[in-house]
């Protein structure tokens, strides 16, 4: 067994443990929800008590930082909650916009005295104000200190036995407080209770009140709807049933004031203050040997907006992972410690090994799996079985959450919304989960290296995003080194291209460094790129691979990313599948995506190629859908091979029609472009080769472009790394 | 091109993986089908339930107003609708008293046998629901089993039984509940005292007895104390003062001080002042509040010492007490000075 085999076995075991645990909590969740539904019919006993003002008073702590556009509406909705005795304490945490002004004007705020009853350290409180029109509304104005600091300031001024920590952009349902207070009435050892947080994107609110629940329009938000349902309904309910709940959402949680103050309030030096508090409460109560309960209630609902852009979602997931890591490492003594009961013995190990370290195993698992695939270490049957298992787990959990939602709450009134969720449960396995895993890995690494923010990452020098990708894929290359294969080799190449544009002669330069590993079943390249255009320089990296799929079929995929791209796409990728058929014919389908600074471009292409002796001909047709109208491109390539497959001469003629992609500009331009490229490549000996490319491009309305590039190749590896071409063999496909 | 995948060896792991994956996939499909069917079923059910409820509502309003007799409504209840009809009647039973409640009892009578069959159910939630339904709709007929439910192993069932017994405000039923105050587990004492407070002064003597009985559990005595406050029992003050003099437990002390805050008299001041020196800060705070309500201007010097105490909770209660005894001059002087508690003084002076 090689290292690769061992790692794959470990990854499989991890995968089974993770998903098995999640299925187990889902099972507990199902039972708990049924019990809850049954008990809910009894809770009129408590409704009367709450309605007559007998229930404990609650203070809503609402930290607000730069919430000028939404703060007034948010507070208005809080003023309409159905609960006897509560007050609202908005903490203006050093906003630089006019949050305080908006609140003051909308609610007639006047200075009022409110003596702090606790002394948790916080940034300076500048003023306390009260609404002249709504006596239950208070505003604390303080210097900026972050969310935890703001909550602690609110806690210092809290006068009620319970407080509710929430986000300023959350909308609570009218009966949310009535429902979330129930655990405190049923059991007076309850110290914290979390409510259900759902995605507000796409829903209809009128006057701060939810009137219609709908799925969001954007796919990214839709994936998060499913994620939240899964996390809360099959996750937290299950952990609560095991009395091992380690997380209560910072967007909506009810706490017992005295215990939280005694435990030290919210930690100000972490981004995961919500989880850290819960873990600390477990530890505090158990170390003090006090009976306590931390629970989750699925009834009371808070609605929150989720990020709809990749960048926002990335930041959020990165932050969540950092919060998780920090919370766990601070309280590491709880790990597997029977003194901390179910939280220490069950929940903590799960979060530590499977959630915290999970992204490392997952991402390297993907890499190792691909390596094993390329290296011929796994079979198609294994691939299919693993894919079925992986998708089965993911879909079962997600659809279980959806069915729990339907059975217990039935919030989505439209059948098509449920259908959307079922489809999402399948689709999220193709990219979304992997993206989230990547962001979580980033959060883990930043937390372990103790740096904050993306900017600080640059100072480390090794963690530029493209460089990370390149580093990861270099590791893959090392895996591939363990794969014995005839015809395998390593190759390094360096190319330099100069293009001139005009008149006037504006020069562009492109430099590329490529490391390739070629094995029997395919190849993998890792590239470093540098583009110099218009006095600006873009640097980036790319990875590309070829992989044999089934007989006479193979795939090609490429991913390229450029840091702070100004002249080339920020992110670019393509995938292409080739299938041979008949007598040396080959067809392919390609999808290419380019993400420019100002625009995105998708290109769909089909091609047909024919091999005949040493000749190879291909025609490709591309379609580029755009909002301004579709563009088209046609390309014909003709190649003549020499004595070896690496020696050839190729001519390529292409023509693209209106609204076609100008690959050197920052988006899509119009009119027609005709280009002709000639390429000559030769290996002078088994280890050294050169290539030369001459390009001419003519675009209507723009100056003509000429380009010349030269490439040097160095190869090493097994002795038989170059396959000589005989007249009886077909030429391999062009790369 | 010679690029082909190696053949898969027959392998137990492989078959397990494939089987598990297929099983999970089928499970996912099953969940999906269940969700769709459940959604459709609940939509149908809620639509038909709404229709039935509208019909029953129109009929029950005519019955309750005396326009029609109960048979008019009973004719509209199908054979399989016993449970739904009982549930329907509950929403009225929670709100109605007197003759209307008796009408509801008449309407429910034919259907409660099926409900009573759930009393010995192994599921505590079902037992609790049965107790709730029977207790609200037929408290006299099922009084014995409801009283027996007070001894149910599940505290949820016991609290539900206490709730339904106490809603009828019968002192006799309330005494049954009082005997079992220690049974209600960790339920909020405020809830139980709220329920007991609805019963009325008829149980005040029993509550005082529980409060003074050191053999009763802590929670029972706390509930008794809180209930006496809700009842505004005039004799509770003396009882509380006696307990205050003999007790050390901070929870009991703060509970009786809450009584004295509301029902204390000047003869209790000595005991209250002694409690101001208790080790627990919340007992001191409660004592200061009580002193502020019961005492007079003569307490100002005593209270001023607590105004400057390091514990802000105690200081805030002392400030409140100073305001109540009329020490406004002192508070105004502090409010306009650089005293560390100036904000507190201003807050107290502003509050109503």
């Amino acid at each position: 067994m090689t290292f690769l085999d061992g790692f794959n076995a470990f990854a499989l075991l991890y995968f089974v443990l993770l998903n098995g645990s999640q299925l187990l909590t889902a099972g507990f969740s199902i039972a708990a929800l049924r019990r809850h539904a049954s008990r809910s019919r009894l809770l009129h006993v408590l409704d009367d008590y709450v309605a007559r003002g007998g229930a404990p008073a609650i203070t809503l702590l609402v930290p607000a930082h730069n919430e000028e556009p939404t703060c007034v509406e948010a507070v208005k909705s809080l003023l309409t909650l159905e609960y006897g005795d509560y007050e609202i304490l908005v903490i203006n945490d050093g906003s630089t916009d006019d949050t305080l002004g908006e609140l003051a004007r909308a609610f007639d705020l006047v200075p009022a005295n409110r003596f702090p009853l606790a002394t948790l350290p916080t940034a300076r409180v500048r003023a306390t104000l009260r609404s002249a029109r709504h006596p239950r509304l208070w505003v604390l104005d303080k210097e900026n200190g972050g969310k935890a600091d703001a909550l602690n300031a609110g806690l210092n001024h809290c006068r009620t036995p319970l407080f509710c920590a929430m986000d300023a952009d959350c909308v609570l349902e009218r009966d949310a407080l009535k429902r979330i207070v129930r655990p405190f009435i049923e059991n007076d050892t309850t110290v914290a209770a979390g409510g259900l947080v759902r995605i507000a994107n796409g829903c209809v609110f009128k006057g701060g009140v939810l009137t219609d629940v709908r799925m969001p329009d954007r796919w990214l938000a839709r994936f998060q709807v499913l994620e939240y349902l899964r996390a809360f309904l099959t996750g937290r309910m299950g952990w609560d049933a095991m009395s091992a709940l380690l997380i209560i959402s910072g967007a909506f949680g009810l706490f017992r004031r005295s215990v939280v103050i005694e435990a030290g309030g919210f930690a100000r030096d972490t981004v995961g203050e919500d989880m850290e508090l819960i873990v600390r409460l477990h530890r505090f109560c158990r170390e003090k040997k006090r009976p306590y309960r931390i629970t989750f209630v699925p009834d009371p609902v808070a609605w929150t907006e989720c990020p709809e852009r990749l960048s926002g979602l990335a930041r959020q997931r990165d932050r969540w992972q950092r919060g998780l890591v920090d919370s766990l490492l601070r309280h590491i003594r709880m790990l597997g410690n029977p003194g901390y009961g179910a939280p220490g013995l069950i929940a903590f190990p799960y979060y530590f090994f499977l959630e915290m370290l999970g992204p490392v195993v997952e991402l390297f698992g993907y890499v190792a799996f691909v390596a094993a695939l390329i290296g011929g270490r796994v079979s198609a049957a294994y691939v299919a079985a693993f894919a079925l298992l992986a998708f089965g787990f993911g879909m079962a959990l997600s659809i279980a959450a959806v069915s729990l939602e339907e059975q217990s709450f039935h919030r989505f009134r439209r059948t098509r919304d449920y259908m959307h969720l079922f489809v999402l449960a399948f689709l999220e396995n193709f990219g979304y989960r992997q993206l989230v895993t990547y962001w979580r890995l980033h959060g883990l690494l930043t937390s372990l290296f103790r740096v904050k923010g993306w900017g600080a990452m640059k100072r480390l020098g090794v963690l530029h995003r493209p460089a990370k990708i390149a580093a990861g894929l270099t590791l893959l290359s090392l895996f591939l080194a363990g794969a014995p294969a005839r015809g395998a080799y390593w190759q390094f190449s360096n190319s330099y291209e100069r293009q001139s544009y005009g008149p006037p002669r504006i020069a562009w330069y492109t430099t590329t460094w490529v490391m390739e590993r070629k094995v029997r079943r395919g190849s993998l390249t890792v590239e470093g790129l540098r583009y110099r255009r218009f006095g600006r320089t873009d640097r980036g990296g790319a990875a590309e691979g070829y992989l044999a799929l089934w007989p006479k079929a193979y795939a090609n995929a490429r991913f390229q990313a450029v840091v702070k791209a100004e002249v080339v796409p920020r992110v670019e990728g393509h995938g292409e599948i080739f299938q041979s058929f008949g007598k040396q014919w080959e067809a392919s389908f390609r999808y290419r995506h380019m993400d420019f600074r100002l625009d995105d471009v998708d290109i769909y292409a089909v091609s047909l190629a024919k091999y005949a002796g040493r000749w190879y001909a291909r025609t490709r047709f591309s379609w580029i859908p755009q909002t301004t109208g579709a563009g088209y491109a046609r390309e014909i390539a003709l190649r003549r091979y020499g004595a070896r497959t690496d020696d050839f001469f190729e001519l390529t003629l292409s023509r693209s029609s209106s609204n076609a992609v100008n690959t050197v500009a920052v988006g899509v331009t119009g009119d027609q472009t005709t280009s002709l490229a000639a390429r000559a490549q030769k290996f002078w000996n088994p280890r050294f080769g050169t290539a030369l490319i001459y390009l001419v491009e003519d675009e209507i309305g723009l100056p003509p472009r000429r380009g010349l590039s030269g490439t040097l190749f160095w190869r090493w590896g097994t002795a038989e790394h170059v396959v000589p071409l005989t007249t009886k063999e077909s030429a391999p496909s062009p790369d | 091109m010679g690029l082909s995948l190696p053949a898969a060896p027959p392998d137990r792991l492989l078959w397990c993986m494939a089987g598990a994956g297929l099983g999970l996939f089928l499970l996912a499909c099953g969940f999906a089908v269940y969700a769709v069917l459940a959604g459709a079923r609940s939509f149908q059910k809620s639509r038909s339930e709404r229709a039935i409820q509208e019909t029953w509502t129109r009929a029950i309003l005519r019955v309750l107003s005396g326009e029609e007799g109960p048979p008019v409504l009973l004719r509209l209840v199908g054979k399989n609708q016993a449970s739904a009809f009982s549930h329907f009647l509950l929403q009225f039973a929670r709100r109605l008293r007197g003759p209307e409640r008796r009408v509801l009892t008449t309407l429910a009578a034919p259907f409660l046998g099926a409900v009573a069959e759930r009393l010995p159910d192994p599921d505590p939630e079902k037992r609790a629901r049965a107790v709730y339904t029977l207790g609200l709709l037929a408290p006299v007929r099922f009084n014995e089993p409801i009283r027996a439910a007070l001894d149910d192993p599940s505290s949820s069932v016991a609290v539900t039984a206490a709730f339904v017994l106490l809603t009828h405000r019968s002192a006799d039923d309330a005494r049954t509940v009082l005997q079992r105050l220690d049974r209600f587990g960790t339920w909020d004492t405020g809830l139980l005292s709220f329920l007991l407070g609805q019963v009325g002064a008829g149980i005040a003597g029993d509550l005082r007895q529980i409060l003074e009985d050191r053999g009763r559990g802590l929670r029972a005595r706390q509930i008794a104390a809180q209930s006496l406050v809700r009842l505004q029992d005039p004799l509770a003050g003396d009882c509380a003062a006696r307990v205050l003099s003999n007790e050390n437990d901070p929870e009991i002390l703060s509970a009786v001080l809450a009584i004295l805050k509301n029902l204390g008299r000047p003869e209790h001041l000595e005991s209250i002042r002694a409690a101001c020196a208790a080790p627990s800060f919340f007992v001191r705070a409660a004592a200061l509040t009580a002193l502020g309500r019961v005492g007079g201007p003569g307490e100002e010097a005593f209270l001023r010492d607590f105004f400057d105490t390091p514990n802000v909770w105690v200081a805030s209660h002392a400030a409140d007490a100073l305001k109540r005894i009329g020490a406004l001059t002192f508070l105004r002087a502090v409010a306009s000075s650089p005293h560390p508690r100036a904000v507190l003084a201003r807050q107290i002076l502003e509050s109503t």
Side-chain angles (χ1 to χ4, degrees):
Chain A
M1 181 184 272
T2 66
F3 170 76
L4 189 58
D5 294 333
F7 186 85
N8 274 321
F10 170 74
L12 179 62
L13 177 65
Y14 159 82
F15 169 81
V16 169
L17 274 176
L18 173 67
N19 287 283
S21 306
Q22 290 175 348
L23 271 182
L24 189 65
T25 55
F28 276 101
S29 295
I30 291 169
L33 266 174
R34 289 176 70 90
R35 275 199 307 275
H36 180 81
S38 179
R39 208 166 72 234
S40 293
R41 287 174 239 172
L42 271 180
L43 293 171
H44 302 294
V45 173
L46 305 184
D47 283 348
D48 281 344
Y49 176 51
V50 171
R52 294 187 206 186
I58 295 174
T59 300
L60 298 173
L61 300 184
V62 189
H65 180 71
N66 291 351
E67 304 282 350
E68 179 185 343
T70 55
C71 59
V72 172
E73 288 305 309
V75 172
K76 278 184 182 170
S77 77
L78 294 178
L79 286 168
T80 62
L81 295 176
E82 292 169 356
Y83 194 78
D85 190 359
Y86 76 100
E87 59 179 16
I88 304 164
L89 183 52
V90 178
I91 305 111
N92 179 42
D93 189 38
S95 297
T96 53
D97 63 4
D98 199 26
T99 299
L100 187 61
E102 287 288 325
L103 291 170
R105 286 185 290 274
F107 301 107
D108 283 345
L109 296 181
V110 296
N113 291 290
R114 188 167 174 131
F115 189 72
L117 294 176
T119 53
L120 296 169
T122 70
R124 191 174 72 91
V125 174
R126 296 188 282 232
T128 53
L129 306 117
R130 191 177 193 178
S131 169
R133 278 194 273 137
H134 304 280
R136 63 167 94 236
L137 173 61
W138 288 77
V139 175
L140 213 61
D141 181 39
K142 64 181 281 290
E143 291 173 355
N144 179 252
K147 185 179 176 189
D149 189 84
L151 285 168
N152 283 344
L155 209 41
N156 283 341
H157 291 79
C158 175
R159 302 189 284 214
T160 55
L162 304 178
F163 74 90
C164 176
M166 54 180 294
D167 284 346
D169 57 357
C170 253
V171 176
L172 297 188
E173 293 197 338
R174 281 220 164 122
D175 59 356
L177 289 186
K178 277 200 305 192
R179 293 174 182 272
I180 200 171
V181 81
R182 283 172 181 167
F184 291 84
I185 299 173
E186 291 171 350
N187 188 333
D188 63 3
T189 64
T190 303
V191 300
L196 185 58
V197 179
R198 296 184 67 138
I199 301 295
N201 303 48
C203 297
V204 180
F205 290 84
K206 284 186 182 152
V209 177
L210 176 73
T211 57
D212 193 13
V213 178
R214 292 183 190 170
M215 288 289 283
D217 292 329
R218 297 190 70 120
W219 282 92
L220 200 63
R222 290 179 180 182
F223 281 123
Q224 292 173 75
V225 169
L226 185 63
E227 237 186 336
Y228 272 56
L229 284 179
R230 197 172 53 234
F232 282 93
L233 295 184
T234 62
R236 295 194 192 177
M237 280 244 53
W239 289 114
D240 178 50
M242 292 186 268
S243 302
L245 186 66
L246 281 194
I247 302 179
I248 282 178
S249 175
F252 183 39
L254 189 64
F255 299 85
R256 196 173 291 279
R257 176 193 168 277
S258 58
V259 178
V260 172
I261 288 178
E262 210 180 334
F266 290 88
R268 299 187 295 164
D269 55 347
T270 176
V271 293
E273 72 283 336
D274 44 3
M275 181 179 178
E276 196 280 332
L277 176 65
I278 300 304
V279 176
R280 181 152 37 92
L281 285 176
H282 276 293
R283 192 173 160 186
F284 175 81
C285 294
R286 285 190 181 263
E287 287 174 359
K288 300 267 183 206
K289 297 193 188 326
R290 286 192 199 170
Y292 77 103
R293 181 176 166 224
I294 294 175
T295 187
F296 173 76
V297 191
D299 279 305
V301 182
W303 297 85
T304 188
E305 293 277 335
C306 71
E308 290 193 337
R309 297 189 67 84
L310 280 175
S311 55
L313 184 60
R315 276 195 298 275
Q316 182 193 68
R317 297 313 162 95
D318 176 274
R319 188 179 73 247
W320 285 3
Q321 189 71 9
R322 283 188 280 135
L324 172 76
V325 172
D326 192 55
S327 303
L328 295 176
L329 293 181
R330 278 170 190 252
H331 302 286
I332 192 70
R333 61 179 293 138
M334 289 177 67
L335 178 62
N337 190 330
Y340 296 102
L345 285 174
I346 304 173
F348 210 102
Y350 168 83
Y351 279 100
F352 189 89
F353 292 111
L354 297 179
E355 292 283 347
M356 187 180 93
L357 298 179
V360 177
V361 179
E362 272 188 60
L363 269 181
F364 276 97
Y366 289 130
V367 168
F369 189 74
V370 171
L373 208 60
I374 292 174
R377 306 290 294 180
V378 293
S379 65
Y382 183 87
V383 169
F386 186 80
L388 192 61
L389 187 62
F391 294 159
F393 264 126
M395 286 181 64
L397 273 170
S398 297
I399 297 182
V402 175
S403 67
L404 280 174
E405 202 286 329
E406 163 57 32
Q407 176 200 337
S408 305
F409 307 109
H410 194 59
R411 288 305 186 109
F412 293 104
R413 298 290 172 186
R414 298 170 186 78
T415 306
R416 69 164 183 265
D417 288 341
Y418 283 104
M419 293 302 155
H420 269 137
L421 289 168
F422 298 148
V423 170
L424 288 166
F426 177 73
L427 290 178
E428 67 175 349
N429 295 293
F430 301 95
Y432 180 77
R433 280 188 189 250
Q434 289 74 20
L435 265 178
V436 171
T437 300
Y438 170 73
W439 293 324
R440 286 171 58 205
L441 176 64
H442 187 274
L444 171 65
L445 294 176
T446 52
S447 196
L448 292 177
F449 284 115
R450 296 193 184 281
V451 294
K452 291 179 185 146
W454 290 92
M457 295 295 288
K458 288 184 186 175
R459 294 199 292 274
L460 291 178
V462 297
L463 292 172
H464 279 179
R465 201 179 317 177
K468 282 185 285 184
I469 295 169
L473 290 163
T474 300
L475 276 171
L476 173 62
S477 301
L478 293 174
F479 283 137
L480 292 176
R486 179 177 174 273
Y489 59 78
W490 288 92
Q491 175 174 288
F492 178 77
S493 61
N494 175 224
S495 68
Y496 183 79
E497 180 189 35
R498 183 184 187 280
Q499 293 184 25
S500 63
Y501 219 98
R505 290 283 171 213
I506 302 166
W508 293 349
Y509 303 94
T510 305
T511 311
T512 311
W513 300 269
V514 180
M515 174 69 86
E516 180 180 2
R517 172 65 174 163
K518 173 81 172 63
V519 294
R520 185 170 62 89
R521 294 173 51 91
S523 66
L524 182 71
T525 62
V526 172
E527 301 176 26
L529 307 158
R530 187 175 68 189
Y531 301 92
R532 282 165 58 192
R533 311 253 193 283
F534 307 115
R536 288 171 282 194
T537 302
D538 285 353
R539 291 187 177 83
E544 184 166 3
Y546 283 83
L547 178 67
L549 299 175
W550 50 83
K552 295 190 179 181
Y554 65 98
N556 164 237
R558 178 183 174 84
F559 177 78
Q560 177 177 311
V562 175
V563 177
K564 281 190 180 175
E566 293 183 0
V567 294
V568 297
R570 295 181 300 189
V571 170
E572 182 178 347
H574 76 246
E576 189 165 11
I577 293 183
F578 299 83
Q579 176 71 59
S580 296
F581 61 94
K583 284 203 164 189
Q584 298 179 8
W585 286 91
E586 184 181 82
S588 79
F589 171 77
R590 183 167 84 168
Y591 167 71
R592 184 179 180 194
H593 177 79
M594 294 189 283
D595 183 356
F596 289 93
R597 189 158 51 90
L598 300 176
D599 204 353
D600 289 0
V601 179
D602 295 300
I603 305 174
Y604 304 87
V606 292
S607 73
L608 184 65
K610 170 82 169 119
Y611 300 87
R614 294 191 181 192
W615 289 92
Y616 168 84
R618 182 189 69 223
T619 180
R620 187 195 301 270
F621 177 79
S622 301
W623 173 58
I624 307 116
Q626 293 289 321
T627 53
T628 52
Y632 303 95
R634 294 166 294 269
E635 180 187 286
I636 297 173
L638 187 65
R639 181 182 284 197
R640 162 74 180 175
Y641 286 94
R644 293 190 172 86
T645 57
D646 291 307
D647 303 338
F648 59 85
F649 178 78
E650 179 181 272
L651 280 174
T652 307
L653 175 68
S654 66
R655 192 179 182 85
S656 50
S657 301
S658 56
N659 296 329
V661 175
N662 183 334
T663 60
V664 299
V666 293
V668 175
T669 60
D671 299 329
Q672 291 189 343
T673 304
T674 306
S675 67
L676 178 68
R679 175 176 175 153
Q681 179 173 308
K682 181 167 175 64
F683 267 74
W684 306 98
N685 59 51
R687 299 199 185 282
F688 176 72
T690 59
L692 209 62
I693 302 175
Y694 182 71
L695 165 74
V696 176
E697 185 175 278
D698 209 358
E699 186 170 341
I700 294 176
L702 289 175
R705 185 157 60 104
R706 306 279 183 272
L708 181 68
S709 77
T711 305
L712 299 173
F713 302 94
W714 287 274
R715 252 182 214 172
W716 65 95
T718 63
E720 296 173 354
H721 57 248
V722 177
V723 180
L725 186 64
T726 68
T727 53
K728 288 187 181 174
E729 283 183 33
S730 300
S733 67
D735 57 352
Chain B
M1 278 193 282
L3 295 174
S4 63
L5 297 167
D11 183 75
R12 191 180 296 179
L13 175 64
L14 189 68
W15 286 116
C16 284
M17 283 170 61
L22 189 62
L24 287 165
F25 188 74
L26 291 173
L27 183 66
C29 294
F31 278 134
V33 169
Y34 171 76
V36 171
L37 291 177
R41 195 174 63 227
S42 73
F43 176 73
Q44 289 293 335
K45 193 176 166 192
S46 66
R47 206 163 61 169
S48 65
E49 275 178 1
R50 260 199 313 274
I52 291 171
Q53 297 252 343
E54 281 169 14
T55 309
W56 287 347
T57 302
R58 281 193 294 272
I60 200 171
L61 291 176
R62 290 201 301 273
V63 171
L64 289 172
S65 66
E67 290 174 35
E68 306 273 6
V72 167
L73 175 54
L74 291 173
R75 273 199 294 272
L76 299 172
V77 182
K79 277 187 185 167
N80 299 326
Q81 292 177 323
S83 177
F85 186 64
S86 308
H87 187 72
F88 168 75
L89 292 175
L90 278 178
Q91 57 183 314
F92 294 92
R94 280 200 295 274
R95 298 186 189 109
L96 298 175
R97 297 278 183 269
E100 287 86 5
R101 179 71 79 82
R102 287 193 286 277
V103 170
L104 293 175
T105 302
T106 306
L107 288 167
F111 308 102
L112 294 179
V115 176
E117 284 171 10
R118 291 204 294 268
L119 283 171
D121 196 287
D123 182 354
E125 305 302 336
K126 286 186 178 166
R127 294 200 302 275
R129 275 211 305 283
V131 166
Y132 185 68
T133 306
L134 297 172
L136 286 186
L137 292 176
V140 174
R141 179 176 158 196
F142 292 97
N143 189 261
E144 280 308 312
I146 292 170
R147 284 183 177 225
L150 287 170
D151 296 317
D152 193 285
S154 162
S155 63
S156 296
V157 178
V159 166
T160 307
F163 170 77
V164 295
L165 286 170
L166 294 173
T167 50
H168 302 298
R169 299 177 185 174
S170 152
D172 192 39
D173 285 338
R175 286 188 190 99
T176 309
V177 173
L178 288 175
Q179 285 165 10
R180 293 162 176 82
L181 277 185
D182 298 302
R183 288 231 60 247
F184 300 125
T186 51
W187 280 77
D188 180 44
T189 54
L191 170 67
L192 291 154
S193 63
F194 167 79
L195 296 172
L196 286 166
Q198 294 181 105
V199 176
I203 57 168
D206 303 89
L207 291 167
R208 288 196 298 273
Q209 209 170 356
I210 292 171
L211 180 59
E212 291 196 80
D213 182 357
R214 298 186 82 168
R216 293 299 296 263
L218 171 65
R219 294 180 65 81
R221 297 174 75 192
Q222 281 179 304
I223 293 167
Q226 290 169 13
S227 304
L228 287 167
V229 171
R230 289 183 185 273
L231 291 172
Q232 292 289 292
D233 177 39
L235 300 178
D238 293 331
C239 173
R242 285 194 294 274
V243 173
L244 192 63
S245 307
N246 301 323
E247 191 58 68
N248 294 319
D249 187 289
E251 304 285 347
I252 298 291
L253 289 178
S254 68
V256 297
L257 284 165
I259 295 176
L260 291 170
K261 180 181 91 173
N262 289 276
L263 301 163
R265 296 193 304 278
E267 51 265 40
H268 303 138
L269 279 172
E270 194 178 328
S271 304
I272 295 173
R273 275 193 225 104
C276 291
S280 299
F281 74 91
F282 56 89
V283 174
R284 296 200 300 277
L288 290 167
T289 301
L291 195 61
R293 299 284 182 100
V294 178
E299 306 298 336
E300 181 174 334
F302 183 80
L303 287 168
R304 276 199 203 181
D305 290 340
F306 290 96
F307 183 75
D308 290 322
T309 186
N311 188 300
V312 294
W313 190 257
V314 172
S316 69
H317 284 259
D320 183 69
L322 281 165
K323 182 179 178 184
R324 290 194 180 271
I325 64 167
L328 300 180
T329 308
F330 168 74
L331 287 170
R332 288 192 190 111
V334 171
S336 55
S337 74
H339 192 286
R341 298 275 157 83
V343 172
L344 176 59
R346 286 197 289 272
Q347 174 187 316
I348 292 296
L349 287 168
E350 283 171 8
S351 64
T352 53

